[in-house]
Every structure is written in C-alpha cells, then in structure tokens.
Amino acid sequence: MTDSMKQYKYLFLDRDGVINIERPDDYVKSVREFVFEEKALDAIAILSTLFDKIFVITNQRGVGRGVMTEEALQAVHSHMLSEIAADGGKISQIYYCTDTASTSINRKPNVGMAFRALEDYPEIVFAESIMVGNSKSDILFGKKLGMYTVLVGDKYSRDNDIYTIADAHYENLYKFALSLKIKNNDDC
C-alpha cells in the first residue's frame, strides 16, 4: 500500500453486493442462495494480508421481518466463513442487525454495529479504518465514523451523489483488493 494507505489497519465490509451477490427485492435466506461475488474469495485472501482485522457489518432485515430465521442466517455465515478460510482469507467477526426500523442504532447508516466491534476489539481506530459497501447506507455509516469509504458495484446511476460522497469507487471487491496489492508491491 502507498504510505497514505498504510495508515489503514481495519477493514469493514458490507456483505450483500460486496462479498456475495445481492438478491434484488429478496434476501439470502439459505446457504443454497448464497453465491460469492466474482473473485470475492481471492479479494478477501489478499485483503487479509493487508489489514490487521476484517469485519463484516451487515443489515439483515429479513430476519426481523420473519422471511428467514436467525439460525438460517448463522448457517449462511458459517458457510461463508468456512469458504473464506479455505481460500486463505480471515474475517475477525461478523456483526449483523436484524432490526426492521431504520431508526435502530444498529442499522446502517447508524453506527451501533461499529461500536459493538469497538467493544470487542478496543484497538480499533475508526480513522484507521476503511468501509467498503455497495449502498449509500454503507458509505454514510463509514463517513459518520471518519472512515475512508469505498463504493463497489454499479447499483447507482453515474449521476447519483454517492459517487461524490464516497472516497473511492471500484467495480467490485476484487478490483479494490488488487489495487491495494499493486500499490503495496510498488512500495516494496
């Protein structure tokens, strides 16, 4: 990483649309419905060598709405973590919010999940963190905490203000990871 990027030690990732393919107007309700984004496993393996800790921060309103059970969500996360580990990546912790109300402190863009992570990992410094997401709520979550923010994907039209709010934009998580790896190798 470049000297300016070396200051970042902690990585926060949204799940749907970043790690796995988002299901429009639906939820990932089972392991069978969980499909990794292209090269996401490679991306997380690369990122695991560049960051001290990686956290998944995900809104999971489907549980709160009764569309799926918390046990099904746990099965999806267990599958995701085992696949990531088998490919050489490491996720320190997953934080999720099943609340349905947008006013919930734990529901992004609100910052409750970040402070839950801070309780578990007091070494986290938000100014030394990057938030990667595919939604405006992810980017606003990161901005509220003083994180560097990275938008991935093409969910929004190019004239949407999200592109001026986010600090950077990449096609996907892999392209972001690759850019950091290349910068890191250039610094060696």
Side-chain angles (χ1 to χ4, degrees), residues 71-95:
E71 291 75 21
L73 179 63
Q74 294 292 349
V76 167
H77 286 165
S78 179
H79 166 73
M80 179 184 78
L81 291 175
S82 67
E83 293 293 312
I84 288 170
D87 210 63
K90 184 175 184 328
I91 300 295
S92 300
Q93 189 79 32
I94 299 171
Y95 296 93

Side-chain angles (χ1 to χ4, degrees), residues 96-151:
Y96 59 88
C97 175
T98 61
D99 298 341
T100 58
S102 296
T103 55
S104 167
I105 189 65
N106 289 311
R107 187 166 177 75
K108 291 179 293 179
N110 300 320
V111 296
M113 286 189 282
F115 285 97
R116 286 173 40 207
L118 185 60
E119 277 182 26
D120 294 338
Y121 299 88
E123 68 272 24
I124 294 172
V125 176
F126 294 133
E128 296 174 358
S129 302
I130 296 175
M131 176 65 203
V132 179
N134 74 322
S135 294
K136 191 174 276 191
S137 64
D138 301 319
I139 301 307
L140 294 176
F141 168 89
K143 287 294 183 185
K144 286 179 180 182
L145 294 159
M147 296 178 178
Y148 185 86
T149 57
V150 176
L151 178 70

Side-chain angles (χ1 to χ4, degrees), residues 58-77:
T58 179
N59 289 339
Q60 292 297 319
R61 188 180 269 173
V63 174
R65 288 183 171 165
V67 175
M68 62 188 293
T69 65
E70 195 156 357
E71 291 75 21
L73 179 63
Q74 294 292 349
V76 167
H77 286 165

Side-chain angles (χ1 to χ4, degrees), residues 2 17 46:
T2 63
I46 292 167

